[in-house]
Amino acid sequence: MALYLKYRPLTFSDLTGQEFIKKTLKTAISEDKTVGAYIFTGPRGTGKTSTARIFAKAINCENPIDGDPCGVCETCVAFGNNSLIDIIEIDAASHTGVDNIREIIEKAQFQPTHTKYKIYIIDEVHMLSKGAFNALLKILEEPPAHIKFILATTDIHKVPDTILSRCQRYDFKNFSEADIKERLSYIASKEGIVVDEASYHYVAESSEGAMRNAVSLFEQLIVGGTISYEYIKETLGILSKQEQQEFLQKLLHKDISALSDFEGYKNEGKNLKNFIKTIIQLLQTDSIEELKKGNDISRNIDMLDILHTGLQQSKHSFDESLTLKIALLKILNTVDYLGERHEEKVAGKIPLVVTQIDKQAETKNTPEITQSKENLVEAAKDIFGNNQEVNNAKISSPKSHISSGSGFDIEGLIVEMKKKGAKAAASMSLRGSHVSLEGDVLSVQTKTQIAEQTLKKTDNQEFIFQAATEMGIPLSRIQILN
Ligand SMILES: [Zn+2]
């Protein structure tokens, strides 16, 4: 039997996480204050169905203990044997017709045979047809006293308000890594499986908060009674977080050594598809962060597009690694190509949704301040401090880019640099660095050697000088540090 089924919790005490929900439902049982209809909503694998089953059992249990089903009374035992006909589980995904609900209503008129209540658990209730919802609504409007409904759904927005308003609602959250680890350790101890700490972390992280995924993955990783991260790394081609980040940075900076790294992973027999999937995940996270900051993410989007397409194509490819390598080549080859396309997008030649995002990002980052020179100097003082350099700064253009936050306006500088023809590599290196202005010295603390090398190039330095002058900040020196 699959571990997930074997260790399906049978009592609230046995159920991991969802503390508030457990407590509330247990109290309702203890105080005998249950209502006619409940709806449990939340992502997959968060314990909705397990909770519904435990709750239904507890409602009908002859001697509930502190809100938990006793597990030994006739009802509890019958439920355990699946021989209890008064708790009816329906999967709406396969019983969507109105007839099924009619059947329920017809049967609902009869008293339960052995227990206090007839309880209907309707899983994935949002899948019901419109007619079925109407039939369900009729019975919810005037529910017989001996009937209770527990509805569960992953998609609450598809459940009509008329239904929702007649249910007590509980929102299930994704399990935390700690919750998942707790459950897995419990299973491991019961099964006598030796598991190292890194494996717990890996499984908890990979399962994205869904217990079912976690337990299934956990089971797949057992080899000879143990789960070892070394083995996982070998078979699933997992690299350390740092290695993954380094690889991503190489792609972002078009560092060709990414190709030999990839070749190395292939020779080591790593799972290349999983590796690319991980890179896609990292890139998505990075994109969201950049978008929040209002930065241009068109290169990220292009990279995501290329990697995703490569991954799709590799499914049908006679040589998976070659297909993925071609995707990497496309990314590494896109220096000028992407730069050019980006300009076209902004100019409106390629009407993509991306353009909208680009424009928003640009606008957000480069508020055009068209106030008088005096106001601008005041604003600059606020940002750079009230020093002599700023007071004497020559404001050459009414469209100077002053950031709304504190610190140096990197985005403004980048916009000016692009106008002068600077390449994307310079912009990206600046974005990844900490830039500050001390007097008339621009200090750039880079985070990678690649960024340092890029910014130390004479032509890029010249772009920075010119762009800063355009912004009314004549520099005497640029300091590139790593
Ligand atoms: Zn019982």
Side-chain angles (χ1 to χ4, degrees):
M1 187 195 268
L3 286 182
Y4 178 71
L5 291 174
K6 187 171 173 188
Y7 288 96
R8 203 163 197 181
L10 301 174
T11 61
F12 285 121
S13 324
D14 195 20
L15 193 72
T16 312
Q18 316 294 4
E19 297 304 328
F20 172 75
I21 295 174
K22 279 194 294 196
K23 202 176 153 207
T24 316
L25 295 179
K26 279 169 81 174
T27 308
I29 299 282
S30 303
E31 297 178 357
D32 198 16
K33 282 182 182 160
T34 53
V35 298
Y38 293 84
I39 188 157
F40 294 171
T41 176
R44 271 169 221 291
T46 48
K48 298 182 298 295
T49 318
S50 295
T51 306
R53 292 167 62 100
I54 295 167
F55 189 46
K57 190 162 69 162
I59 290 173
N60 273 332
C61 174
E62 288 155 34
N63 305 298
I65 304 160
D66 190 24
D68 247 330
C70 74
V72 291
C73 72
E74 223 175 286
T75 313
C76 284
V77 171
F79 184 82
N81 298 336
N82 286 323
S83 60
L84 190 67
I85 57 167
D86 293 326
I87 295 177
I88 302 109
E89 287 186 61
I90 298 152
D91 179 7
S94 55
H95 294 79
T96 53
V98 66
D99 287 344
N100 295 98
I101 296 294
R102 277 219 190 93
E103 200 184 315
I104 292 173
I105 295 168
E106 278 160 21
K107 284 187 188 160
Q109 307 310 320
F110 302 107
Q111 292 287 327
T113 33
H114 302 290
T115 58
K116 287 178 271 184
Y117 299 101
K118 220 172 214 176
I119 301 174
Y120 292 93
I121 299 173
I122 308 182
D123 207 3
E124 299 297 355
V125 69
H126 64 272
M127 301 285 281
L128 290 178
S129 66
K130 204 177 165 213
F133 268 130
N134 285 336
L136 180 63
L137 184 60
K138 277 214 179 86
I139 194 165
L140 286 180
E141 278 169 342
E142 288 172 60
H146 62 272
I147 289 197
K148 290 190 187 298
F149 282 94
I150 306 173
L151 314 177
T153 179
T154 47
D155 201 346
I156 193 89
H157 303 292
K158 288 188 186 150
V159 180
D161 287 342
T162 45
I163 300 275
L164 289 181
S165 66
R166 285 172 175 81
C167 298
Q168 205 174 84
R169 172 173 166 171
Y170 290 86
D171 286 71
F172 285 66
K173 304 273 182 286
N174 275 324
F175 288 108
S176 68
E177 272 198 41
D179 287 339
I180 291 177
K181 205 201 137 188
E182 185 191 317
R183 189 67 187 165
L184 295 179
S185 330
Y186 171 77
I187 295 175
S189 69
K190 288 277 174 188
E191 293 284 312
I193 306 162
V194 182
V195 188
D196 55 22
E197 193 61 31
S199 299
Y200 279 127
H201 178 72
Y202 168 73
V203 175
E205 201 182 34
S206 310
S207 52
E208 292 170 345
M211 194 64 83
R212 203 171 338 179
N213 294 354
V215 179
S216 302
L217 176 60
F218 191 72
E219 187 167 16
Q220 287 167 34
L221 296 172
I222 303 169
V223 177
T226 55
I227 297 181
S228 91
Y229 190 63
E230 280 307 307
Y231 173 78
I232 297 176
K233 261 173 39 172
E234 276 170 32
T235 48
L236 298 183
I238 299 158
L239 298 159
S240 70
K241 278 268 171 282
Q242 200 192 337
E243 285 172 310
Q244 292 167 357
Q245 273 298 347
E246 276 172 15
F247 189 84
L248 177 61
Q249 287 307 315
K250 282 183 180 179
L251 289 186
L252 282 166
H253 291 95
K254 285 148 256 124
D255 180 342
I256 283 177
S257 68
L259 276 184
S260 49
D261 288 356
F262 185 76
E263 201 62 31
Y265 303 148
K266 183 190 155 193
N267 293 338
E268 287 163 25
K270 306 239 189 231
N271 184 324
L272 299 175
K273 270 199 209 168
N274 275 348
F275 171 61
I276 295 295
K277 275 184 201 163
T278 314
I279 296 298
I280 289 177
Q281 273 174 7
L282 287 176
L283 195 53
Q284 280 177 303
T285 314
D286 183 67
S287 302
I288 293 163
E289 287 306 309
E290 292 299 311
L291 205 54
K292 277 185 195 158
K293 290 184 210 155
N295 290 339
D296 175 10
I297 59 159
S298 42
R299 176 158 169 83
N300 284 28
I301 294 170
D302 282 319
M303 281 173 63
L304 278 170
D305 202 16
I306 293 170
L307 289 175
H308 182 248
T309 309
L311 207 53
Q312 290 293 109
Q313 288 171 343
S314 71
K315 282 180 192 163
H316 314 288
S317 169
F318 69 94
D319 187 344
E320 176 187 298
S321 73
L322 178 65
T323 311
L324 296 175
K325 202 168 169 181
I326 291 170
L328 296 180
L329 282 167
K330 281 183 188 165
I331 287 172
L332 295 168
N333 182 44
T334 45
V335 183
D336 295 316
Y337 165 68
L338 281 186
E340 192 181 313
R341 255 184 72 189
H342 175 61
E343 294 308 316
E344 283 175 11
K345 276 179 208 161
V346 173
K349 284 181 196 165
I350 303 174
L352 292 177
V353 182
V354 174
T355 313
Q356 292 305 320
I357 298 167
D358 282 345
K359 279 186 179 160
Q360 279 166 12
E362 297 270 343
T363 320
K364 200 173 165 194
N365 257 303
T366 57
E368 292 186 1
I369 299 173
T370 49
Q371 297 150 319
S372 66
K373 179 180 166 180
E374 288 72 27
N375 286 346
L376 216 48
V377 173
E378 283 307 309
K381 273 190 214 162
D382 287 341
I383 293 159
F384 301 122
N386 188 7
N387 58 32
Q388 205 54 36
E389 279 76 13
V390 171
N391 281 333
N392 294 337
K394 188 174 73 141
I395 308 294
S396 59
S397 154
K399 280 173 73 181
S400 289
H401 300 285
I402 307 285
S403 81
S404 50
S406 61
F408 185 78
D409 177 16
I410 302 176
E411 291 305 321
L413 187 75
I414 288 171
V415 169
E416 291 300 335
M417 283 170 67
K418 276 185 184 167
K419 283 186 198 162
K420 307 267 171 211
K423 293 274 160 65
S427 321
M428 277 185 298
S429 302
L430 272 175
R431 278 203 187 105
S433 308
H434 180 78
V435 183
S436 58
L437 186 69
E438 287 144 28
D440 55 359
V441 177
L442 190 73
S443 180
V444 183
Q445 180 69 51
T446 58
K447 295 210 178 91
T448 62
Q449 281 194 350
I450 302 154
E452 186 194 9
Q453 285 159 11
T454 307
L455 293 173
K456 277 188 173 166
K457 283 185 186 158
T458 336
D459 52 349
N460 284 333
Q461 298 243 325
E462 188 53 36
F463 283 127
I464 296 175
F465 271 117
Q466 289 179 9
T469 308
E470 278 301 319
M471 293 169 76
I473 310 162
L475 302 172
S476 69
R477 197 156 62 85
I478 301 167
Q479 202 176 20
I480 309 291
L481 308 163
N482 188 316

